[in-house]
Amino acid sequence: MTKNFDVIVVGAGLAGLQTAMLLGRSGARVLLVDAKKSVADSVHTTGIFVRRTLEDFDLPPMHLGPPVRHVTLYSPARRALTLESPYDEFRVGRMSRLYTHYLHACQRDGVVWSPATRYVGSEDASESQVVRLETGGRSWATRVRYVVGADGARSRVARDLGLDANGEYIVGVEDVFEGVPLDGPPRFHCFLDPRLAPGYLAWIVHDGEETHVGVGGYAAHFDPLRALEEFRGSVKNIMDFSRARRVERRGGRIPVGGVLRHIANRRGLLVGDAAGAVSPLTAGGLDPCMRLSSLAASVIADYLKTENRAELSRYAGDRFRARFVSRLWMRRMLASARNPAMLEVACAAMRLAPLRPLAWHVFFGRGSFPDVDASAHAARQSARSVAAI
Ligand SMILES: Cc1cc2nc3c(=O)[nH]c(=O)nc-3n(C[C@H](O)[C@H](O)[C@H](O)COP(=O)(O)OP(=O)(O)OC[C@H]3O[C@@H](n4cnc5c(N)ncnc54)[C@H](O)[C@@H]3O)c2cc1C
């Protein structure tokens, strides 16, 4: 492929697909590459979308599971706190199908798709970027005006562009089952247990069709696969796996240090996990993928049109980090809570009326990621004023 492009998007996860689709729609010539042969391969996320994403973005309902309104939070001693929302709070995406849906939308908008293509590196050639790629053992290069790093938590693009890199991670691993009977309404079960999930949660989400059973935590403090096995064995009283069929195993790193500060320069920018755009508390990254990628596409489209570098100042991590301060504090608390007795007391407190709203807020609150569209408008005004000075 020798054709030149305006933008290369490296990585076709949710962040890359959303960015490529919107850029294609804006008229930019976009090349989308991923090391995977198919976007449907090796899904690594549970795929829980929160209400705010479901309301604000046009996710195709046929690729989402039934709504979930019930949450049960278990203490280390398995004392339960149940919460019920009057709204459809969560839906589990059928991620292989969703990614394929977004890829087709990209292609309809003129995005050129290159699967099984690994990003190898990029060099600054003053007005353009030369990007080195490898497809099926064959090396090739393309020249672009701008590079988007949507290549996940350990972004190589970030390093090559001299942008910030993630430094704090948890790891998650889960099994997906079919054939688990559902007793009651679809439910999201969350288990606070520092032995099985140090610094995070163990979870079961059962929407009536699929059951996801997983554990997450700091890699230095547990063996994720062993913890998953033990966890599954310990929830037989809650869920009957006797006739269940495991259909998939998923897992990966989740950056939890908050949005990185320096995520754009004149050569390129970062979206999704590459930008650290994950809630440090809940480790939810899908809503940030949609929101930050939408902003990224609008910033890039304006930058390509105007070649005015001030446009890029709209895309600064510091603008989002401010919204994460309390969640970063709560992450610090969760990370250091290794004593089951301490967590037991915290859970007991949350079962009391005065602290219930806190649990409600964590699970059903609508503040997963700043509403970048609104802030983008304000920032666009200020970028214009900066440019005018
Ligand atoms: C086990 C687990 C469960 C999770 N559950 C949830 C959840 O339920 N809800 C939620 O909101 N968040 C969840 N998250 C977080 C969420 O999944 C991520 O934040 C989100 O998927 C990140 O999307 P992304 O597009 O930025 O990155 P990715 O989905 O990681 O996509 C990056 C893409 O880049 C490609 N790539 C990487 N390097 C190269 C290269 N050199 N060349 C070419 N391609 C490359 C990869 O193949 C990949 O396709 C979970 C994470 C994990 C690990």
Side-chain angles (χ1 to χ4, degrees):
M1 199 179 302
T2 49
K3 196 173 161 188
N4 291 349
F5 295 90
D6 292 316
V7 183
I8 184 171
V9 177
V10 180
L14 195 65
L17 287 164
Q18 170 79 351
T19 312
M21 182 181 75
L22 296 177
L23 279 170
R25 211 169 273 172
S26 77
R29 294 168 307 156
V30 182
L31 173 64
L32 173 66
V33 305
D34 198 293
K36 298 197 290 194
K37 282 199 183 110
S38 156
V39 288
D41 289 349
S42 325
V43 170
H44 68 74
T45 179
T46 308
I48 301 172
F49 286 92
V50 296
R51 176 155 65 101
R52 194 161 163 247
T53 326
L54 298 168
E55 287 174 354
D56 291 355
F57 294 90
D58 234 359
L59 295 174
M62 65 281 199
H63 302 317
L64 300 170
V68 180
R69 293 177 167 210
H70 295 76
V71 170
T72 306
L73 175 67
Y74 299 85
S75 71
R78 301 283 160 98
R79 292 196 179 86
L81 163 64
T82 56
L83 302 164
E84 181 185 344
S85 168
Y87 304 104
D88 294 343
E89 293 290 346
F90 310 107
R91 291 183 78 171
V92 182
R94 305 308 185 226
M95 297 309 288
S96 293
R97 277 158 40 196
L98 259 181
Y99 292 144
T100 306
H101 169 94
Y102 278 112
L103 178 63
H104 290 159
C106 284
Q107 290 172 311
R108 278 196 300 279
D109 287 318
V111 172
V112 175
W113 164 232
S114 185
T117 299
R118 204 164 57 82
Y119 165 91
V120 180
S122 57
E123 277 94 41
D124 190 8
S126 73
E127 295 305 299
S128 61
Q129 304 300 313
V130 176
V131 180
R132 285 178 287 113
L133 300 160
E134 202 177 277
T135 308
R138 186 179 65 87
S139 301
W140 56 288
T142 187
R143 196 177 277 272
V144 298
R145 293 171 65 195
Y146 209 66
V147 181
V148 174
D151 52 339
R154 285 196 286 181
S155 168
R156 187 164 182 153
V157 174
R159 192 192 64 191
D160 290 350
L161 297 185
L163 297 171
D164 283 354
N166 292 302
E168 183 180 351
Y169 304 94
I170 54 173
V171 292
V173 59
E174 69 163 26
D175 285 333
V176 186
F177 294 94
E178 285 174 0
V180 179
L182 178 65
D183 187 14
R187 190 176 292 274
F188 187 11
H189 302 262
C190 298
F191 299 77
L192 279 169
D193 185 334
R195 263 183 345 98
L196 292 173
Y200 189 54
L201 290 172
W203 66 89
I204 302 175
V205 57
H206 192 340
D207 66 11
E209 295 172 2
E210 283 185 358
T211 311
H212 297 242
V213 182
V215 295
Y218 286 94
H221 302 296
F222 80 140
D223 173 345
L225 289 179
R226 190 178 296 169
L228 179 61
E229 212 49 49
E230 197 181 321
F231 174 54
R232 214 184 106 196
S234 76
V235 290
K236 286 187 178 141
N237 59 330
I238 298 172
M239 206 82 34
D240 173 12
F241 289 99
S242 58
R243 271 166 296 157
R245 200 163 52 86
R246 191 178 91 180
V247 289
E248 232 175 303
R249 171 159 287 175
R250 301 178 179 176
R253 283 175 179 245
I254 313 177
V256 288
V259 185
L260 301 171
R261 289 177 199 283
H262 188 213
I263 52 173
N265 61 23
R266 67 174 178 79
R267 298 177 62 196
L269 58 69
L270 309 174
V271 290
D273 278 10
V278 174
S279 164
L281 180 62
T282 65
L286 298 177
D287 185 72
C289 273
M290 300 300 284
R291 282 177 212 279
L292 196 60
S293 299
S294 305
L295 175 64
S298 126
V299 167
I300 297 168
D302 287 348
Y303 179 58
L304 292 176
K305 267 187 218 127
T306 62
E307 296 196 342
N308 180 357
R309 284 190 200 167
E311 292 290 351
L312 299 174
S313 63
R314 287 161 55 198
Y315 201 78
D318 278 329
R319 292 184 46 220
F320 311 115
R321 280 187 78 83
R323 282 286 301 271
F324 283 102
V325 172
S326 61
R327 270 166 271 178
L328 280 166
W329 271 105
M330 283 159 92
R331 159 113 320 269
R332 292 275 77 77
M333 276 158 49
L334 204 53
S336 58
R338 303 248 173 75
N339 180 344
M342 240 173 70
L343 274 175
E344 198 61 47
V345 172
C347 288
M350 270 196 281
R351 285 195 296 273
L352 299 174
L355 280 188
R356 254 174 187 255
L358 176 65
W360 180 276
H361 179 74
V362 168
F363 287 103
F364 301 144
R366 292 166 56 74
S368 54
F369 199 80
D371 193 353
V372 288
D373 281 344
S375 49
H377 179 73
R380 193 194 302 249
Q381 303 304 326
S382 72
R384 294 237 159 91
S385 344
V386 170
I389 292 169

